[in-house]
């Protein structure tokens, strides 16, 4: 059984890698990703300047997933640019870089620096951070997203991707797909970021479980699997010339299989990586391969997007 895949022409030895934000802020974490059985790695979303992020506690596992409001803690884009410059690209595992400008001007500066460096890494532009106080998610403002893509896509020139928030309305799937369709080098959509601004409350103490934003934070893990699958499949159906990277609620080979069946070409791991650590990738590889063998599928392309409907 072969669980390799490719994203805009670059081969990944297997479909799995980290969701941006998990195990990827510092060089030691990125090195652990390199040494793991992941098929790729992606860096923490970078801003122009380094950021401490929101006050702790700011991540908590929940019975059905997790809640977090990290607030974009990162080392600043120059740190990740240096990392990308020193990365050994002759290894089989590709490097993705996540950028999350606090303004379009910031994104332009970061993109220009990466373009000037002319590296074989792929950019994933984050349009969906829910946790910076006072900064709405760009992905929920379709005109602003269109304007950002109109500026960034021609600068990047090469194939690139965007990280989208989850959508919950068919009209929104249609509108976002129409925007994405305008940009030919927009090669992949990573669906989905966390479901923004949930609230987790401790029953005994009657207190919010995380500190930032009065307890509001992004929901991830098992509780968002079905929303993630819907978004993967909605954009897979609407954008046959683009690829979808699925993320949300993958804890075992079974959920990964479902993401691929819905149309995903690769699968990112957030909460489960946070909880289990990079050893998760060896287990997921084994579990997905076993499921494929049992079902008689030899490659990802034998079943990707082949969801049946009633
Ligand atoms: O850092 C964060 O709080 C964060 C980001 Br940038 C994001 O894109 N998604 C998320 O759930 N948290």
């Amino acid at each position: 059984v072969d669980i390799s895949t490719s994203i805009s022409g670059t081969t990944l030895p297997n479909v799995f890698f980290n969701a941006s934000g998990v195990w990827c802020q510092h060089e030691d974490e990125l090195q652990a990703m390199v040494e793991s059985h992941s098929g790729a790695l992606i860096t923490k979303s970078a801003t122009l300047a380094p950021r401490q992020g929101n006050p702790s506690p700011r991540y908590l596992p929940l019975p059905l997933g997790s809640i977090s409001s990290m607030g974009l803690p990162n080392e600043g884009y120059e740190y990740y640019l240096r990392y990308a410059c020193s990365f050994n690209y002759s290894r089989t595992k590709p490097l993705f870089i996540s950028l999350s400008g606090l303004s379009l001007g910031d994104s332009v500066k970061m993109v220009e620096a990466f373009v000037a460096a002319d590296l074989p890494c792929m950019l994933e532009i984050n349009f969906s951070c829910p946790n910076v106080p006072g900064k709405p998610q760009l992905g929920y403002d379709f005109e602003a997203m269109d304007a950002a893509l109109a500026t960034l896509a021609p600068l990047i020139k090469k194939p690139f991707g965007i990280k989208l928030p989850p959508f919950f309305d068919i009209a929104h799937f249609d509108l976002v797909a129409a925007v994405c369709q305008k940009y030919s080098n927009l090669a992949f959509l990573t669906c989905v970021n966390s479901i923004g601004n949930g609230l987790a409350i401790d029953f005994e103490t009657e207190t919010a479980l995380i500190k930032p934003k009065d307890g509001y934070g992004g929901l991830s893990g098992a509780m968002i699997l079905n929303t993630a699958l819907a978004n993967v499949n909605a954009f897979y159906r609407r954008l046959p010339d683009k690829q979808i990277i699925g993320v949300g609620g993958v804890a075992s080979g079974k959920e990964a299989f479902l993401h691929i069946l819905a149309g995903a070409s690769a699968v990112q791991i957030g909460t489960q990586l946070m909880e289990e650590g990079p050893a998760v990738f060896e287990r997921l590889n084994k579990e997905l391969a076993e499921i494929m063998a049992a079902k008689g599928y030899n490659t990802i392309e034998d079943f990707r997007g082949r969801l049946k409907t009633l």
Side-chain angles (χ1 to χ4, degrees):
V1 175
D2 177 3
I3 62 167
S4 70
T5 189
S6 77
I7 296 295
S8 62
T10 299
T11 299
L12 284 64
N14 68 76
V15 295
F16 297 108
F17 61 119
N18 60 312
S20 179
V22 184
W23 231 277
C24 59
Q25 184 174 339
H26 297 107
E27 206 149 353
D28 57 330
E29 296 170 293
L30 293 164
Q31 183 58 28
M33 282 300 305
V34 166
E35 290 167 9
S36 78
H37 285 74
S38 74
L41 71 159
I42 186 166
T43 54
K44 170 66 185 175
S45 286
T47 52
L48 217 46
R51 288 171 58 86
Q52 295 273 320
N54 292 336
S56 294
R58 59 189 189 178
Y59 167 87
L60 209 75
L62 297 174
L64 295 173
S66 65
I67 186 166
S68 67
S69 181
M70 306 303 288
L72 216 25
N74 78 93
E75 306 305 307
Y77 82 101
E78 288 168 307
Y79 179 95
Y80 303 103
L81 179 55
R82 276 196 300 277
Y83 181 80
C85 286
S86 67
F87 189 78
N88 177 7
Y89 294 96
S90 67
R91 280 186 295 240
T92 59
K93 184 184 294 198
L95 173 66
F96 291 74
I97 298 286
S98 175
L99 301 178
S100 191
L102 295 175
S103 68
L104 182 53
D106 286 4
S107 292
V108 167
K109 281 185 195 153
M110 293 191 286
V111 161
E112 283 176 340
F114 274 91
V115 169
D118 193 26
L119 301 166
C121 55
M122 272 182 279
L123 297 182
E124 183 187 89
I125 311 294
N126 186 359
F127 284 167
S128 47
C129 176
N131 301 329
V132 177
K135 291 278 175 191
Q137 292 168 74
L138 195 69
Y140 288 143
D141 181 339
F142 305 150
E143 281 180 19
M145 186 159 52
D146 195 354
L149 285 168
T151 300
L152 298 174
L155 284 177
I156 299 171
K157 296 181 200 80
K158 292 196 303 184
F160 73 104
I162 57 176
K163 176 80 166 275
L164 290 174
F167 301 100
F168 307 93
D169 193 289
I170 301 298
H172 293 170
F173 292 141
D174 290 338
L175 284 164
V176 173
V179 168
C180 292
Q181 196 52 59
K182 293 166 66 176
Y183 303 97
S184 58
N185 63 324
L186 174 54
F188 67 90
L189 280 59
T190 303
C191 303
V192 295
N193 211 315
S194 58
I195 295 184
N197 296 295
L199 177 62
I201 305 172
D202 184 71
F203 174 75
E204 291 302 330
T205 64
E206 306 175 7
T207 306
L209 282 168
I210 59 171
K211 179 164 177 176
K213 293 175 62 179
D214 295 328
Y216 288 72
L219 303 177
S220 303
M223 69 177 101
I224 80 162
L225 172 65
N226 302 88
T227 292
L229 292 173
N231 278 260
V232 166
N233 189 62
F235 292 110
Y236 172 75
R237 288 175 184 275
R238 285 166 179 74
L239 298 166
D241 300 331
K242 304 195 189 296
Q243 290 186 292
I244 313 298
I245 298 179
V247 49
V250 177
S252 74
K254 186 175 171 184
E255 296 81 40
F257 180 86
L258 298 178
H259 267 270
I260 297 163
L261 196 67
S265 293
V267 178
Q268 295 177 346
I269 312 299
T271 299
Q272 192 61 35
L273 171 57
M274 204 49 199
E275 293 303 308
E276 189 173 339
V280 70
F281 293 108
E282 188 167 18
R283 177 175 66 80
L284 291 171
N285 276 292
K286 182 166 164 285
E287 290 175 354
L288 179 59
E290 281 170 2
I291 288 167
M292 288 170 57
K295 285 177 173 277
Y297 296 128
N298 294 122
T299 73
I300 296 300
E301 295 309 312
D302 289 348
F303 65 99
R304 187 174 62 81
R306 306 274 178 90
L307 169 68
K308 290 176 260 188
T309 59
L310 301 177

